[in-house]
Amino acid sequence: MTTTAPYDKTNIFARILRGELPCKKVFENEFALAFEDIHPSAPVHVLVIPKGEFVSFDDFAAKASEVMQAGFWRAVGTVARQTGVDKTGYRIVANHGADAHQIVFHFHVHVIGGRQLSSKMANMPKELPQTA
Ligand code: 5GP
């Protein structure tokens, strides 16, 4: 899929949002749903997704309302505090498009922490998941 492809309502995260597929929920409000990544690369690896049809970060940044953007990023901060990684440190990642290995085309932010992460940003989390 290209970075300009339209939103596909059958993507996995859309199905999780609709309750058609299960998830290990961490947080939910009117703006966002957060759940554990199925293949965690650290003790805390939570995905935060907006409640709206946005293909990627670029799509979200360009099209989401100010209220949605503020509500979503507040939810990301809440997830970090709720999981405790705000005290030890964490990384937030949003993969956009092919070069960044985006594999699910519903915008999502990874909240990763719970251990010391690699200082090599460009290598995480896909290429070196064991040291991300
Ligand atoms: P990205 O698109 O940013 O490269 O990564 C998508 C992430 O979604 C991956 O870290 C992958 O492990 C996670 N993922 C893919 N399918 C599922 C699923 O069905 N459930 C959950 N909880 N995570 C998933």
Side-chain angles (χ1 to χ4, degrees), residues 14 26-27 33 40-41 48 50 54 59 62 68 71 93 106 121 126 130:
V26 172
F27 172 83
L33 172 68
S41 60
V48 190
F54 305 103
D59 196 28
M68 169 57 97
V93 175
H106 180 115
M121 267 298 293
K126 294 296 180 204
Q130 74 281 12

Side-chain angles (χ1 to χ4, degrees), residues 20-31:
E20 295 169 6
L21 293 174
C23 71
K24 291 186 178 172
K25 192 194 298 187
V26 172
F27 172 83
E28 182 172 18
N29 69 6
E30 65 194 289
F31 302 108

Side-chain angles (χ1 to χ4, degrees), residues 4-18:
T4 55
Y7 185 82
D8 175 4
K9 290 176 188 288
T10 67
N11 77 73
I12 290 169
F13 293 172
R15 298 186 65 198
I16 288 175
L17 258 186
R18 289 195 296 267

Side-chain angles (χ1 to χ4, degrees), residues 12-13 16 35-39 47 95 101-104 108 110 126:
I12 290 169
F13 293 172
I16 288 175
F35 51 89
E36 294 178 11
D37 194 293
I38 203 166
H39 298 303
L47 302 169
N95 295 316
H101 301 275
Q102 183 180 3
I103 56 170
V104 180
H108 53 281
H110 300 248
K126 294 296 180 204

Side-chain angles (χ1 to χ4, degrees), residues 31-114:
F31 302 108
L33 172 68
F35 51 89
E36 294 178 11
D37 194 293
I38 203 166
H39 298 303
S41 60
V44 173
H45 188 166
V46 176
L47 302 169
V48 190
I49 69 174
K51 289 189 172 178
E53 297 184 352
F54 305 103
V55 175
S56 66
F57 171 70
D58 183 69
D59 196 28
F60 182 76
K63 295 181 187 160
S65 70
E66 277 71 12
V67 170
M68 169 57 97
Q69 300 216 23
F72 176 78
W73 288 110
R74 278 194 185 279
V76 174
T78 299
V79 165
R81 289 189 294 279
Q82 190 174 305
T83 56
V85 292
D86 62 310
K87 298 178 184 64
T88 49
Y90 63 97
R91 184 167 287 153
I92 57 175
V93 175
N95 295 316
H96 168 84
D99 279 359
H101 301 275
Q102 183 180 3
I103 56 170
V104 180
F105 290 88
H106 180 115
F107 170 49
H108 53 281
V109 167
H110 300 248
V111 178
I112 301 167

